[in-house]
């Protein structure tokens, strides 16, 4: 039985997941009916959720805005992990109070 792998980012790397941005895309798709073969232009930025931050500046679930091209995908034994360098974080998204 293969055990689940856990990635521990080091140095200036933050582990993120892309699910936050995918939820936003699904919401946008539900607003307007588009042809099945329609592909929207890729945004120059992406919103992601924090999975792990070794320096503790960001906590699990924090939403960050990053340039799309700097997200690094790592695949290990069928699992996908996403890392970004800390200095590329453009903003943190929080709820209005």
């Amino acid at each position: 039985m293969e055990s689940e792998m856990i990635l521990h980012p080091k140095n200036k790397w933050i582990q993120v997941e892309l699910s936050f941005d995918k939820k936003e895309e699904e919401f946008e798709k539900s607003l307007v009916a588009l042809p099945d073969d329609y592909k929207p232009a890729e945004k120059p930025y992406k919103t992601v959720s924090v999975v792990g931050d070794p320096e503790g500046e960001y906590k699990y679930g924090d939403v960050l805005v990053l340039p799309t091209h700097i997200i690094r995908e790592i695949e290990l034994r069928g699992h996908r992990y996403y890392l970004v360098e800390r200095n590329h974080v453009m903003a943190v998204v929080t709820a209005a109070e």
Side-chain angles (χ1 to χ4, degrees):
M1 184 167 116
E2 188 176 322
S3 62
E4 184 175 332
M5 298 180 75
I6 299 174
L7 186 76
H8 298 281
K10 299 292 183 189
N11 300 317
K12 301 294 182 188
W13 293 92
I14 301 169
Q15 184 180 358
V16 298
E17 62 184 8
L18 307 181
S19 62
F20 184 84
D21 208 43
K22 288 180 181 173
K23 290 175 189 170
E24 289 295 307
E25 288 172 10
E26 290 300 318
F27 175 73
E28 289 172 5
K29 284 180 187 176
S30 69
L31 297 177
V32 179
L34 298 170
D36 291 336
D37 61 347
Y38 173 76
K39 283 192 164 189
E42 188 168 314
K43 296 176 186 174
Y45 62 88
K46 196 170 246 340
T47 50
V48 299
S49 299
V50 173
V51 173
D53 175 11
E55 293 187 11
E57 181 178 353
Y58 307 108
K59 64 183 186 309
Y60 180 85
D62 280 354
V63 177
L64 308 177
V65 179
L66 314 160
T68 302
H69 70 280
I70 61 96
I71 299 171
R72 303 291 180 243
E73 180 179 298
I74 299 169
E75 188 169 339
L76 298 170
R77 294 187 180 176
H79 298 282
R80 287 194 179 156
Y81 304 94
Y82 300 93
L83 296 175
V84 297
E85 287 185 87
R86 174 176 311 285
N87 61 329
H88 288 289
V89 175
M90 298 167 58
V92 178
V93 180
T94 59
E97 294 183 23

